[in-house]
Amino acid sequence: MIRQTWWLTHRQLKALARQPGVLVITLMQPVVWLFLFGNLFRRIVDLPGFGAGSYLDYLVPGIVVMNAVSANMWAGMTTIDEIERGTLDRFLTAPVRRGAIMNANVIVAAASTALQSTIIVLLGWAAGAHYPGGVFGPVALVVLSMVLGTVFTGLSNAFGMAVRQRESVIGLSIFLLLPLTFLSTAFMAESLMPGWMQGVAAANPVNWSLEAARGALAASVDWPMLLGRGGWLLALAAAMVWLSTLTFGGYQRKV
Amino acid sequence: MHVEAHDLVKTYPPGVRALDGLSITIEPGEVFGLLGPNGAGKSTTVKILTTLARADSGTASVAGHDLARHPDRVRRAIGVVAQNSGADPLATARDNLLLQGRLYGVRGRDLRTRVGELLDRFDLAGAADRPVKGFSGGMRRRLDVALGLVHRPVVLFLDEPTNGLDPEARSAMWAEISRLAGSEGLTILLTTHYLEEADRLTDRLAIVDEGKVLVTGTADALKGSLRGDAVHVELSGDLDEALVRQAIGAVVRDVTVDGRVLSARADDGAAAVPGVLAALDRAGSPAAAVTVARPSLDDVYLRHVGRRFAEGVAR
């Protein structure tokens, strides 16, 4: 199982390494947001009760998380490609564990998310964002973005496998991305949100990762927040990967 | 027996019966063909026997392992070349082969030697380290077959191995499959909708239609069972079937009418032609063209399925 996971991961990483441009292009969007929103909403911190000193400091985790959601939502497209090309069938008729196929997808997605998140964190820093707690905060942020990305990789994979239609995967991605990010504390402090929005945000995994990340980025780490929200996020990610592995069975009933 | 399938039934929602009690038996070392038009159930049979899909009912074993109880043992014993074999287009031919071997647990020097051997054998050595996306259709198909062989399977499944290839690539593939059959004692199940392919490559074949096997045998035995030459007459106008049948019934036998073409059998085809032409003239349906041929697989198909093969393909 471990060996198979490794070789299947190796295959995808090699493909990624062959086209590094893909990673760079997908980064353009979050980078534009970072500088656009960073400038546009600069004065927001002056609102009474916002609670942060610099909006850029506040924004970096928001952009990292938004990128993790949007990048991983496309996982289902790759799955559909592999089904149409026959690659998935080839693996399924070989003595390969279903879990190994899905694990490889998750690992590759997490690795590219990590790379992208790191670049955003560094660009934010170059633009003047502060990480007062030192290296720990940014590292925790990157790790949390990987876990959040896994939630959406699993979801998108399961969805792609179930519907096998590119349009539906694109639709799901567009449908979820903006509401999930704006119904969270990515761009606006919780205390300034309408009451109902605070309620929705409490159940939003994107917000869990943000609260955990902000807990880790603070000058003194908010451990209960980091471990509590992070734990829920991890549990959800595991559930999504499991669900996604289950969809192989559904797929094989239909072929 | 290397492949034994008994009474396989498979229904896809909404109620499309892809297999309707299909049974086949393949002996070790045999090249067995499933011949039939698209939608006859050939690919479904391959999907079930290669553990990808599960039959609704029926039993099957491959390489001595029961499909339902030990799918993993079956997977280890078989090589699968599906219609889309899904070589990774971004990876090189060599990387594709190495990965395939690793997934089957082939490792180290053994793997590298095997991959080199297959690249040579399938004439891909020159392109081994180029990404597959630049390959021609023929090269890609050869790589597909090589992928199916990396782990030295006992039974090889070839689903429409020459579909979409140009004539040159097709005959190269035929030569390769014939060589495969001769070496390594490989048992091959091959599906095709090309009569010529089934005729040339298979030791035995089954004609499949609507999810069932209609007849099984060697190509020669099937043709021999028709007893006599085929006489095909193309009529110049529409015909009154009953009248025509009556007119030529005395000269030839096994008359079938398919549009404007009528086909029949005679012990000596050439000798029967004048009689047939005269009879048709008398019946008011003069012939436009006449051919006489030794029995072909197409005639076997017509006899068992009730229509010409080409039509079945077009359906």
Side-chain angles (χ1 to χ4, degrees):
Chain A
M1 171 93 158
I2 292 170
R3 190 171 268 131
Q4 290 180 342
T5 302
W6 159 243
W7 286 119
L8 289 170
T9 306
H10 175 258
R11 163 182 93 101
Q12 296 192 38
L13 289 179
K14 223 169 167 177
L16 265 183
R18 254 173 228 280
Q19 352 176 253
V22 174
L23 278 181
V24 175
I25 289 168
T26 48
L27 262 177
M28 289 303 288
Q29 210 180 5
V31 167
V32 168
W33 287 331
L34 186 63
F35 292 104
L36 197 74
F37 289 2
N39 284 297
L40 181 64
F41 299 136
R42 193 199 309 239
R43 302 280 309 279
I44 269 186
V45 286
D46 298 343
L47 288 172
F50 192 89
S54 133
Y55 189 62
L56 193 61
D57 292 5
Y58 188 81
L59 186 61
V60 167
I63 298 292
V64 165
V65 159
M66 188 177 187
N67 176 66
V69 176
S70 77
N72 287 286
M73 282 284 210
W74 299 105
M77 301 288 266
T78 317
T79 306
I80 293 174
D81 282 347
E82 300 241 298
I83 289 175
E84 286 179 357
R85 207 183 284 137
T87 312
L88 183 67
D89 287 357
R90 178 156 63 86
F91 293 154
L92 291 175
T93 54
V96 177
R97 297 280 197 89
R98 276 63 187 142
I101 300 176
M102 199 45 76
N103 287 346
N105 289 343
V106 167
I107 293 170
V108 173
S112 37
T113 307
L115 186 66
Q116 294 182 323
S117 299
T118 306
I119 294 174
I120 297 172
V121 166
L122 290 175
L123 283 173
W125 177 68
H130 303 88
Y131 308 119
V135 185
F136 177 78
V139 170
L141 172 60
V142 169
V143 172
L144 285 161
S145 74
M146 292 161 72
V147 179
L148 182 70
T150 302
V151 170
F152 288 98
T153 296
L155 178 71
S156 181
N157 258 322
F159 193 70
M161 199 90 115
V163 300
R164 290 171 67 182
Q165 246 188 344
R166 285 192 177 73
E167 293 78 3
S168 308
V169 175
I170 298 172
L172 180 78
S173 159
I174 291 171
F175 179 72
L176 286 180
L177 176 65
L178 291 181
L180 283 179
T181 19
F182 282 95
L183 293 172
S184 78
T185 55
F187 308 120
M188 181 56 83
E190 190 185 353
S191 55
L192 296 176
M193 287 180 173
W196 67 269
M197 238 185 230
Q198 294 184 15
V200 176
N204 178 356
V206 174
N207 201 45
W208 302 348
S209 66
L210 279 165
E211 288 181 335
R214 295 220 159 92
L217 282 162
S220 72
V221 176
D222 183 349
W223 285 105
M225 182 63 95
L226 173 58
L227 295 179
R229 299 286 194 274
W232 279 112
L233 198 62
L234 203 58
L236 184 64
M240 282 298 175
V241 172
W242 177 72
L243 175 76
S244 182
T245 309
L246 278 190
T247 52
F248 283 123
Y251 169 74
Q252 282 189 272
R253 271 190 293 280
K254 276 187 277 176
V255 293
Chain B
M1 290 306 123
H2 264 171
V3 175
E4 225 170 342
H6 187 67
D7 222 2
L8 295 177
V9 174
K10 174 80 180 175
T11 312
Y12 289 107
V16 180
R17 196 153 253 231
L19 293 186
D20 189 14
L22 181 134
S23 304
I24 49 171
T25 309
I26 307 177
E27 287 173 37
E30 196 173 34
V31 180
F32 187 90
L34 285 180
L35 174 70
N38 292 329
K42 307 184 303 280
S43 282
T44 306
T45 307
V46 170
K47 281 177 185 165
I48 289 172
L49 293 177
T50 58
T51 76
L52 190 59
R54 192 168 297 174
D56 301 340
S57 67
T59 54
S61 70
V62 175
H65 306 295
D66 187 89
L67 266 177
R69 263 181 300 163
H70 301 295
D72 231 55
R73 291 189 199 166
V74 172
R75 287 182 192 128
R76 272 173 211 291
I78 60 172
V80 186
V81 182
Q83 285 188 37
N84 298 315
S85 253
D88 189 338
L90 293 175
T92 64
R94 190 189 305 278
D95 281 351
N96 269 295
L97 288 164
L98 287 172
L99 172 69
Q100 183 78 356
R102 283 165 180 147
L103 294 179
Y104 284 86
V106 189
R107 259 178 273 147
R109 226 189 33 217
D110 187 21
L111 176 61
R112 276 191 297 280
T113 323
R114 178 68 175 162
V115 166
E117 198 178 287
L118 287 168
L119 286 167
D120 282 339
R121 174 153 156 199
F122 286 92
D123 202 13
L124 292 166
D129 298 304
R130 292 214 308 262
V132 170
K133 64 178 172 190
F135 281 22
S136 71
M139 287 163 82
R140 216 175 255 239
R141 211 62 190 130
R142 295 204 298 279
L143 174 63
D144 288 343
V145 178
L147 281 169
L149 291 169
V150 181
H151 59 291
R152 298 188 172 84
V154 182
V155 181
L156 181 68
F157 291 87
L158 295 169
D159 196 4
E160 308 266 355
T162 63
N163 199 14
L165 295 186
D166 59 53
E168 201 178 326
R170 174 169 301 157
S171 55
M173 184 58 82
W174 282 351
E176 201 47 61
I177 295 172
S178 308
R179 260 204 295 161
L180 276 178
S183 65
E184 303 194 23
L186 200 59
T187 304
I188 300 179
L189 171 69
L190 133 98
T191 77
T192 181
H193 62 250
Y194 296 114
L195 292 161
E196 197 189 348
E197 190 162 294
D199 209 351
R200 283 183 55 158
L201 293 179
T202 62
D203 297 321
R204 278 192 317 135
L205 62 98
I207 292 180
V208 187
D209 193 52
E210 291 176 353
K212 271 196 286 259
V213 171
L214 297 179
V215 62
T216 310
T218 65
D220 284 341
L222 290 175
K223 287 185 253 179
S225 71
L226 293 177
R227 292 173 296 117
D229 297 342
V231 180
H232 303 293
V233 185
E234 196 183 320
L235 299 175
S236 49
D238 291 331
L239 73 168
D240 179 338
E241 191 175 329
L243 203 63
V244 166
R245 277 181 186 278
Q246 199 191 0
I248 63 172
V251 199
V252 288
R253 59 175 187 272
D254 295 346
V255 181
T256 48
V257 180
D258 194 13
R260 279 188 188 177
V261 178
L262 56 105
S263 307
R265 313 219 70 86
D267 290 331
D268 183 344
V273 168
V276 169
L277 293 181
L280 287 173
D281 270 340
R282 277 200 303 278
S285 297
V290 183
T291 48
V292 175
R294 301 291 308 146
S296 72
L297 215 45
D298 197 12
D299 299 317
V300 176
Y301 188 85
L302 176 67
R303 165 76 174 278
H304 291 279
V305 183
R307 57 176 188 272
R308 293 232 149 260
F309 188 76
E311 246 175 80
V313 172
R315 255 195 332 160

